[in-house]
Amino acid sequence: MNTSGFTPPHNLSSLRQLLADIDSKQAPIRLGGQSRRVLNAMLGTPEKVAVASITELAERHGVNASTLTRLAHRLGLSGFNGLQQLFRLELTGSPLHFYSEQASQLVREPGLADSGLPAKVGQQECSNISAMIDNLDPDSFNRAAELMAAAGQIRIYGVRQFYALSYFLGYALGMIRPNVATLEAGRQGIADALSPLQPGDVLLVTSCFPYTDSVIRTAEIARHHGIEVIALTDAQDSPLHKIASCSFCVPNRSLFYSNAMAGFFVLGEALLSEVAARLGDTAIVALRRREELISELSPLS
């Protein structure tokens, strides 16, 4: 089949039109009956597709998760995340719909707490962490750790719930090496916060869907000025993935009414541990110095 002129869909309108063209045999691609059935059902409930995991969707439509991945590739998309992104964009004419739709999962299923909600959330987080580890690229991981160990200066930027992650990363990395700070735009503005960084320095950014414009724009500007960008995000279709020198995708689907965070913290701990190993005695000296100061100040603590 000749698909040289085929343009993958970029939103749900173009996806619906493509399905109509497939049904009328006017499209340059073909789908099997099962794939057409599943895609048609997904288009009927875009709000559910936008917030569900690939496993949940597969179970809902009676197919294997691999079927959804193959469907996405057949549509010319990068994978399930690329397909889901079309539904998310439809959902977020107002990005705040993301959170209310996440919470509606809990409202639709009253009694979840009685049926083991803590266990379900825990299992989902464990699944997110396992998927992140399984898909972690060792070369990117090693390069990110080397950049964080060798850079003259490092700034870390995340907002909203990712501020907690950025603060943690800044604090922990500052324990083992100098010239690390959390970028806090509210205090001095993005330009002033970035201005000390030189080419070869590092900006580590964290954000996932629905992405924060200020984080994306800050990463773009930093990259333009020769600053190495490391991104902790959620998918290869993330705008940060396209900007960053090193990008890590952390699945974050769960019953929590916002983005699940456990996988991001685990990845952060792994990166910091690798940086400490690379710094070697330098990290140990820094930690011992900190321990001495803590001991001297202990009567004040």
Side-chain angles (χ1 to χ4, degrees):
M1 184 187 306
N2 181 14
T3 60
S4 58
F6 173 61
T7 300
H10 62 279
N11 55 31
L12 282 202
S13 294
S14 59
L15 181 57
R16 290 188 179 98
Q17 183 59 55
L18 176 59
L19 181 58
D21 291 343
I22 291 172
D23 289 341
S24 63
K25 296 183 171 47
Q26 299 301 308
I29 66 170
R30 298 286 184 266
L31 293 178
Q34 179 172 256
S35 293
R36 288 162 64 187
R37 173 186 65 78
V38 171
L39 181 56
N40 190 62
M42 291 169 64
L43 286 167
T45 56
E47 70 286 348
K48 294 181 180 179
V49 178
V51 300
S53 70
I54 187 171
T55 301
E56 291 167 343
L57 281 175
E59 291 176 353
R60 184 178 299 159
H61 297 293
V63 297
N64 294 323
S66 59
T67 299
L68 297 179
T69 300
R70 288 194 298 270
L71 170 60
H73 289 154
R74 191 64 175 158
L75 295 171
L77 302 167
S78 60
F80 173 74
N81 287 327
L83 177 59
Q84 188 176 49
Q85 187 78 342
L86 304 184
F87 290 84
R88 289 177 166 184
L89 290 172
E90 179 86 354
L91 177 66
T92 55
S94 167
L96 294 180
H97 289 174
F98 171 79
Y99 304 102
S100 59
E101 185 58 35
Q102 283 284 96
S104 70
Q105 298 179 86
L106 302 170
V107 176
R108 290 192 203 106
E109 299 184 56
L112 268 174
D114 297 332
S115 61
L117 180 57
K120 289 184 179 180
V121 172
Q123 289 165 0
Q124 289 170 332
E125 286 286 25
C126 288
S127 178
N128 288 334
I129 293 169
S130 294
M132 179 269 293
I133 293 172
D134 289 343
N135 292 290
L136 191 65
D137 177 38
D139 291 338
S140 293
F141 183 83
N142 289 330
R143 184 175 181 221
E146 183 59 31
L147 287 172
M148 293 169 68
Q153 300 183 86
I154 298 178
R155 297 293 181 271
I156 302 169
Y157 187 35
V159 301
R160 302 191 180 97
Q161 68 193 55
F162 281 95
Y163 176 78
L165 176 63
S166 65
Y167 180 85
F168 163 72
L169 293 173
Y171 172 78
L173 187 58
M175 293 175 68
I176 57 175
R177 57 148 295 159
N179 300 318
V180 177
T182 301
L183 193 157
E184 299 185 53
R187 292 187 177 183
Q188 58 186 142
I190 296 291
D192 286 339
L194 282 180
S195 61
L197 300 187
Q198 302 297 318
D201 287 339
V202 167
L203 173 68
L204 191 155
V205 291
T206 65
S207 184
C208 65
F209 183 88
Y211 309 102
T212 304
D213 288 341
S214 65
V215 176
I216 297 169
R217 184 59 179 150
T218 299
E220 289 175 335
I221 292 170
R223 184 66 184 267
H224 176 72
H225 286 275
I227 298 166
E228 299 284 356
V229 177
I230 299 172
L232 275 55
T233 187
D234 56 348
Q236 291 190 351
D237 293 274
S238 163
L240 291 175
H241 181 75
K242 302 175 179 66
I243 299 167
S245 307
C246 303
S247 178
F248 303 95
C249 300
V250 181
N252 62 338
R253 313 310 301 164
S254 84
L255 287 168
F256 179 46
Y257 51 81
S258 187
N259 297 114
M261 296 295 294
F264 288 98
F265 277 91
V266 169
L267 176 58
E269 289 182 17
L271 273 173
L272 295 178
S273 297
E274 180 65 27
V275 173
R278 289 170 182 264
L279 290 174
D281 289 341
T282 300
I284 293 172
V285 169
L287 290 170
R288 285 178 177 165
R289 172 62 173 161
R290 178 178 291 259
E291 289 165 349
E292 291 172 1
L293 291 172
I294 292 172
S295 177
E296 292 173 8
L297 290 168
S298 58
L300 302 177
S301 61

